Amino acid sequence: MARCGCGGGDQCACALVAGPGIALAGNGSSTDPYVITAEAAVEPEPPSPLSVQVCSLILGNAQPQTIPNDGSYHVVRFPFDTESYDAYGMHSSVQPDGGQVLDWRTNDRSGLIWPSRDGWGSLTAVIQWEAGDYTELRDQYVRDPLGLTSNPNDTTGTVHRPPSPGIQCWSKHHELFVHPDVPLALRVSHNASTPKKIILAQFKLAIYV
């Protein structure tokens, strides 16, 4: 809506309301007009929808892994034939760097998740130990635990835990940037007097892009 008021001479004052919160005003004459131009509004591009790529591994209680009582961290290994979910090929026996796993029970490569793409990664794990005479249990996530890159054993999310009575049941969560050429693993350690079994484990990566 526009309103103009002119005095006795050639000079006029105009006010224009173009919409909610949009108002213009100015003075003009026949020799020096006040000109308003309108351009079509350009709507900004909507943001791309968020997508998630997921790998979810499980070590069932029918396939426990024995962890030595040597004070060192050990990669938790996962079978290839009982995947919980791996639609993006992040846990394969033939791996992106050319390595191949023939027996998942003896090869630490079976514990690697190779991210399918760059992105923000959400790591989740479940760890259940058999009962034992522990005084401490440890677990951590690690980038490249096997020395396959120029920056191996880059650990994060390390936790030292006191034991509870009976079997030990834990879950853990951590977030980080992930990359396709840097594999990830879950590692554990304990200080019992004898080797102890992990009776259930889960290892999950969700990549948000």
Side-chain angles (χ1 to χ4, degrees):
M1 178 178 67
R3 289 195 177 97
C4 294
C6 299
D10 193 27
Q11 189 78 18
C12 295
C14 295
L16 173 69
V17 177
I22 304 174
L24 299 171
N27 299 312
S29 67
S30 59
T31 57
D32 183 21
Y34 177 54
V35 178
I36 300 172
T37 62
E39 297 180 356
V42 178
E43 292 292 331
E45 291 266 341
S48 299
L50 186 69
S51 66
V52 183
Q53 298 186 2
V54 173
C55 178
S56 178
L57 310 179
I58 185 167
L59 175 71
N61 54 20
Q63 301 169 307
Q65 179 181 344
T66 299
I67 306 298
N69 57 324
D70 56 7
S72 299
Y73 278 100
H74 296 270
V75 172
V76 180
R77 303 170 187 147
F78 293 90
F80 298 101
D81 57 352
T82 58
E83 307 280 32
S84 177
Y85 185 81
D86 189 28
Y88 297 93
M90 296 188 236
H91 185 248
S92 172
S93 60
V94 179
Q95 301 191 339
D97 69 337
Q100 185 172 4
V101 180
L102 299 179
D103 185 352
W104 70 269
R105 294 173 181 82
T106 60
N107 192 331
D108 282 346
R109 277 181 173 266
S110 67
L112 300 180
I113 289 180
W114 295 79
S116 54
R117 61 179 301 165
D118 292 314
W120 184 246
S122 176
L123 291 170
T124 307
V126 172
I127 308 164
Q128 294 186 6
W129 295 86
E130 67 174 327
D133 59 343
Y134 315 97
T135 61
E136 186 178 69
L137 302 104
R138 300 182 177 187
D139 45 74
Q140 62 184 196
Y141 298 113
V142 57
R143 307 171 188 89
D144 183 23
L146 306 182
L148 306 176
T149 72
S150 60
N151 187 29
N153 293 310
D154 185 6
T155 61
T156 187
T158 299
V159 180
H160 297 187
R161 307 178 187 273
S164 59
I167 66 171
Q168 312 298 308
C169 301
W170 314 111
S171 62
K172 62 190 281 110
H173 179 80
H174 193 71
E175 298 190 0
L176 72 174
F177 285 107
V178 298
H179 308 284
D181 57 350
V182 181
L184 305 167
L186 172 68
R187 297 200 305 193
V188 297
S189 175
H190 70 88
N191 68 350
S193 60
T194 58
K196 292 298 177 184
K197 293 177 181 177
I198 290 182
I199 55 178
L200 176 70
Q202 297 180 19
F203 182 31
K204 307 170 188 291
L205 169 64
I207 306 173
Y208 296 88
V209 293

